[in-house]
Amino acid sequence: MFTLLAKTHWGKPDFGRRIVWLIFGFKLKMQNKGVRQSMAWLHAWTGLVFGWLLFAIFLMGTSSYYRHQINLWMQPQLSQYQINQATAIQTASQYLEKNAVDAKSWYLNIANHEEPVNKIYWEKATGGYESRNLDANTGQELKLSATQGGDFFYNFHFQLYGLPILIGRLMICIAAFIMLIALVSGIITHKKIFTDFFTLRTFKSQRSWLDFHNVSSVLALPFFLTITFTGLAIFFYLYLPWGMKKLYPDNPFQYFTEIRSINQNSEHLAAPIKTEMRSINTLLETVKQQWGDQALASIEVKNPNTDHATITFKQLEDRSITLNQAQITFDAHGKVLANTRNESAVATLNAGVYGLHMATFAQPVLRFAFFCSGILGCLMIASGLLLWSLKRQIQNKSQQFHFGYYLVDRLNIAAFIGLPIAMLSYLFANRFVHITETTPNYEIYAFFSAWGLSLLLAFFTKKQYLWKSQVFIFGLIALALPIYDFVYLINHRLISDLSNYWLFLRIDLFLFVCALFAVFIFRNIQPIQEKSAQKIKTKLANANNEVKA
Amino acid sequence: MIFFSLLLTFIGMFLLYRSSAKQITKAKATQQQFLKRFKTQISISAFVCFLVALSLLCLKYGNSVGFISWWIFATPVTFMLVLLVNELKSNKK
């Protein structure tokens, strides 16, 4: 672009002015416009440029509310496990005593009904970490499928895929920042927030899309503002790293250790000495005396088998925004220590930002409401982008082919229908191939292949069949997957009773609802398209009449 | 408790919808007079409904989570209301 610019304009007397116009073009363009019009321009263009990425982030993030459930769906053999947390703790601690006796720290994620496997990792004495998945009943190492499960969606929504983590996260930060700008400019642009609060006029072409965009935005506005701001604030250290670098010049990431817990070892100046610490099972008895049969989330042991050892038990249930679920910390001799959690204002704010974004406090019904708000966010972005495209096609007074509109239309389809198709393909692939540590991850291949194919198909499909063809594919997969899943589970004898089947059925039912939604869109998209086409034709006819007159 | 708070939120939103300026003009003549006369009272009762719903949620979840859960619950409830009160079918001639 710059080469072309230099060839065409270089050496001309007004070259400098043209460059300034190009760079600050929008500023000059906005000079004669009011605040609201300028904001509308900003809202439309920031929304367009980042809309597809934001849609992917929103959809993946929304799915992540149920990532543990998706994990379990994608590892069906785990549904067979019966969990007893006392046994799970005993077997895991025995494993750690045997295999990581010299480690600097142990971390045990205790098996529970949503994650029926003990996940352990430890920091080796020589540096670095090791992790294992253990059978909660026997303590044997498990060779699970190497599927990423719901974690793939979760990771994608904050660091994308296939990019260096830092670059991916920075791109997400920029997108979140743009989202915040789009939200604020949208609020300023929207003249009748309260008057049109309940208004939704359907089958009225551009007006309907605008109404739907307004309704979906305004209803969940507090959610959008919160989720965007907290998402941006979580990664503050990427775009504002100087504070951490100044306070912790040697290791800026020490901040994360200190923000979580008060360092008990600061009192111990001497190096830790090997000693026999109180066994985890004995400490568990004390924990049970205090908490009863409350389910536990994790056990963290720092400096195990030394006189500096600290053993922290955390409860599973967390009904706080600031992630302060109940915890008990013991020293090596089994003495209960004072609270080791960092409860300073900054630490609480930090935990609150995380808590609000992750919504770990949300119980099933509330979690579902969060999920609905996330889906509404996807609908808001989709309707905004469709509105952008339609509005410009109506305003365009020529019937000539316009590459920009063609591209936006195709990218819209690839994002709004192609991405859900890709997500379903990812789930479908899980039922066809068993992935191990050594084989390539065919599920992720399936995800990106389906997404790419959807884009390719969109480029070669006529506009009138664009929506119908892709919605049909989506509906077909969404309908076939639950049926195939049922057959798969029966064939592999993975259903022992109804409660066991419910772990799969809840996702299958959701897919079935998606299929019904696809049928609804398939049946109603034609009248919507006809209405829009009619409006465009009328505008063109009017424009032609004006020219003739 | 959650069901009641959702119901109260729905009722509150419906009252706000009925007392909105747009709806008053669309209402039947008999209703119009009533809505015009008691517009403030209807709005106040809507906010009372919200307050009770919020209090119920605060009782269940605690103050901070209760507060957040109210506006999180209000979103799908209001969206349902919007879908219910608006004409969604195509007017085929």
Side-chain angles (χ1 to χ4, degrees):
Chain A
M1 194 187 87
F2 286 107
T3 322
L4 188 72
L5 193 76
K7 274 181 188 169
T8 49
H9 299 289
W10 185 254
K12 289 185 180 176
D14 59 347
F15 177 72
R17 193 175 59 83
R18 279 164 189 256
I19 289 290
V20 170
W21 192 90
L22 272 171
I23 297 169
F24 301 104
F26 75 97
K27 196 180 170 185
L28 293 169
K29 206 176 169 185
M30 291 302 124
Q31 269 180 351
N32 298 327
K33 292 186 175 179
V35 176
R36 190 163 276 147
Q37 279 174 309
S38 308
M39 288 295 136
W41 182 90
L42 186 67
H43 183 75
W45 286 96
T46 50
L48 176 77
V49 176
F50 283 86
W52 299 295
L53 176 61
L54 285 169
F55 180 85
I57 296 169
F58 250 84
L59 191 60
M60 298 290 206
T62 305
S63 319
S64 305
Y65 281 126
Y66 291 107
R67 73 182 163 118
H68 297 306
Q69 286 79 353
I70 298 172
N71 281 341
L72 208 53
W73 191 92
M74 293 181 80
Q75 300 199 50
Q77 66 276 25
L78 296 185
S79 67
Q80 305 294 310
Y81 288 95
Q82 298 295 324
I83 301 302
N84 178 331
Q85 280 208 321
T87 317
I89 292 168
Q90 192 185 356
T91 53
S93 59
Q94 279 169 358
Y95 182 93
L96 285 164
E97 286 286 0
K98 196 176 165 189
N99 297 288
V101 71
D102 292 328
K104 283 184 188 168
S105 61
W106 297 340
Y107 192 88
L108 163 61
N109 229 341
I110 307 162
N112 58 61
H113 62 285
E114 288 292 357
E115 289 180 276
V117 168
N118 274 335
K119 290 183 176 175
I120 57 167
Y121 62 89
W122 63 91
E123 190 183 355
K124 292 187 284 186
T126 50
Y129 287 85
E130 273 207 48
S131 66
R132 297 279 186 281
N133 290 319
L134 303 180
D135 185 319
N137 297 319
T138 62
Q140 301 254 313
E141 282 181 26
L142 283 174
K143 292 277 178 240
L144 295 174
S145 156
T147 178
Q148 286 192 20
D151 294 341
F152 171 68
F153 300 144
Y154 174 67
N155 292 333
F156 189 100
H157 107 279
F158 69 87
Q159 62 190 22
L160 304 176
Y161 184 81
L163 291 171
I165 287 175
L166 196 69
I167 304 287
R169 288 185 182 186
L170 267 174
M171 282 175 72
I172 297 293
C173 285
I174 293 168
F177 188 62
I178 294 292
M179 175 83 180
L180 213 53
I181 291 174
L183 283 173
V184 175
S185 56
I187 295 167
I188 298 169
T189 310
H190 190 14
K191 278 186 278 190
K192 299 171 180 172
I193 288 188
F194 294 107
T195 319
D196 283 347
F197 195 81
F198 300 101
T199 310
L200 180 63
R201 286 156 288 190
T202 51
F203 296 95
K204 288 192 188 298
S205 184
Q206 188 185 335
R207 165 58 57 195
S208 305
W209 287 114
L210 182 60
D211 276 353
F212 188 81
H213 184 63
N214 288 342
V215 163
S216 54
S217 328
V218 172
L219 293 187
L221 191 59
F223 171 78
F224 299 146
L225 287 170
T226 312
I227 216 76
T228 312
F229 178 74
T230 52
L232 193 60
I234 284 172
F235 289 128
F236 78 93
Y237 58 91
L238 289 179
Y239 48 88
L240 296 169
W242 304 284
M244 270 164 63
K245 274 185 185 163
K246 187 159 173 65
L247 281 172
Y248 309 99
D250 299 328
N251 176 20
F253 291 97
Q254 195 190 335
Y255 162 84
F256 294 107
T257 315
E258 288 191 11
I259 204 85
R260 277 196 293 268
S261 58
I262 299 161
N263 191 4
Q264 296 285 328
N265 292 335
S266 57
E267 296 161 15
H268 305 289
L269 292 171
I273 300 163
K274 284 274 167 203
T275 182
E276 198 173 320
M277 71 174 195
R278 191 65 67 90
S279 83
I280 291 178
N281 284 317
T282 321
L283 298 175
L284 183 65
E285 291 302 318
T286 319
V287 171
K288 279 194 170 175
Q289 279 169 14
Q290 292 210 19
W291 288 345
D293 279 335
Q294 282 283 347
L296 299 177
S298 64
I299 300 172
E300 193 179 347
V301 185
K302 286 180 183 167
N303 301 307
N305 299 317
T306 67
D307 59 341
H308 290 181
T310 55
I311 304 106
T312 306
F313 291 75
K314 277 187 186 168
Q315 261 185 33
L316 183 64
E317 192 178 82
D318 179 18
R319 291 192 174 188
S320 67
I321 294 172
T322 49
L323 308 174
N324 57 352
Q325 71 259 58
Q327 67 173 45
I328 302 178
T329 306
F330 300 92
D331 69 2
H333 312 292
K335 189 183 140 199
V336 177
L337 296 173
N339 190 9
T340 54
R341 181 178 280 134
N342 187 347
E343 287 181 338
S344 67
V346 175
T348 310
L349 179 71
N350 180 70
V353 165
Y354 266 95
L356 271 175
H357 194 84
M358 312 285 184
T360 44
F361 57 85
Q363 305 298 312
V365 186
L366 185 55
R367 183 154 286 261
F368 183 68
F370 266 101
F371 179 80
C372 291
S373 297
I375 293 290
L376 216 54
C378 298
L379 294 176
M380 170 191 73
I381 297 167
S383 56
L385 279 164
L386 291 170
L387 178 65
W388 187 97
S389 174
L390 183 66
K391 193 177 171 184
R392 271 140 195 92
Q393 281 173 46
I394 291 172
Q395 281 172 352
N396 186 19
K397 289 176 181 172
S398 148
Q399 266 183 315
Q400 276 183 340
F401 171 78
H402 193 292
F403 181 71
Y405 303 152
Y406 169 85
L407 186 68
V408 169
D409 273 345
R410 268 62 190 178
L411 288 175
N412 278 349
I413 289 291
F416 309 147
I417 318 280
L419 182 58
I421 289 176
M423 290 168 85
L424 291 186
S425 308
Y426 176 76
L427 297 179
F428 228 131
N430 176 265
R431 290 293 186 253
F432 278 112
V433 284
H434 180 77
I435 300 165
T436 61
E437 295 288 346
T438 50
T439 55
N441 196 324
Y442 289 112
E443 291 165 8
I444 295 176
Y445 283 8
F447 175 86
F448 285 107
S449 307
W451 204 0
L453 277 173
S454 160
L455 180 65
L456 209 64
L457 186 69
F459 275 118
F460 294 107
T461 312
K462 278 186 180 176
K463 198 178 172 184
Q464 61 263 41
Y465 305 119
L466 202 56
W467 274 88
K468 276 202 155 186
S469 57
Q470 302 243 359
V471 168
F472 179 76
I473 296 169
F474 173 73
L476 202 67
I477 302 177
L479 191 67
L481 187 50
I483 298 168
Y484 183 75
D485 184 43
F486 182 70
V487 176
Y488 176 91
L489 295 173
I490 295 282
N491 284 346
H492 289 78
R493 294 179 185 177
L494 290 164
I495 303 175
S496 51
D497 53 45
L498 193 64
S499 69
N500 180 246
Y501 181 45
W502 173 244
L503 300 174
F504 306 99
L505 186 65
R506 56 193 179 179
I507 305 251
D508 290 345
L509 279 176
F510 176 73
L511 294 175
F512 192 67
V513 171
C514 288
L516 289 178
F517 184 63
V519 172
F520 172 79
I521 302 246
F522 189 82
R523 289 181 62 181
N524 288 287
I525 197 70
Q526 202 160 349
I528 293 172
Q529 281 180 328
E530 278 169 7
K531 193 84 188 170
S532 305
Q534 197 186 338
K535 184 139 191 179
I536 293 169
K537 270 184 191 169
T538 320
K539 282 266 175 183
L540 277 171
N542 288 345
N544 286 338
N545 290 342
E546 275 173 27
V547 171
K548 278 177 192 169
Chain B
M1 204 174 262
I2 293 175
F3 174 77
F4 278 116
S5 62
L6 289 178
L7 189 69
L8 282 168
T9 308
F10 186 86
I11 293 168
M13 285 293 177
F14 185 73
L15 290 175
L16 277 186
Y17 164 73
R18 291 298 290 176
S19 62
S20 65
K22 257 187 177 180
Q23 289 309 311
I24 291 179
T25 50
K26 282 182 191 172
K28 290 173 192 168
T30 46
Q31 288 178 354
Q32 210 170 36
Q33 266 195 335
F34 176 83
L35 289 170
K36 269 184 186 169
R37 197 169 161 196
F38 297 107
K39 189 178 183 299
T40 318
Q41 287 86 335
I42 292 171
S43 304
I44 289 170
S45 6
F47 284 104
V48 169
C49 285
F50 295 153
L51 205 67
V52 176
L54 178 63
S55 313
L56 286 174
L57 289 171
C58 286
L59 276 175
K60 181 159 175 64
Y61 294 126
N63 288 344
S64 46
V65 176
F67 172 70
I68 289 166
S69 55
W70 181 75
W71 49 260
I72 290 292
F73 280 136
T75 303
V77 167
T78 318
F79 190 68
M80 293 289 282
L81 177 71
V82 169
L83 294 182
L84 278 174
V85 296
N86 286 287
E87 181 64 53
L88 296 180
K89 284 183 181 167
S90 163
N91 295 324
K92 283 179 185 170
K93 286 174 187 172

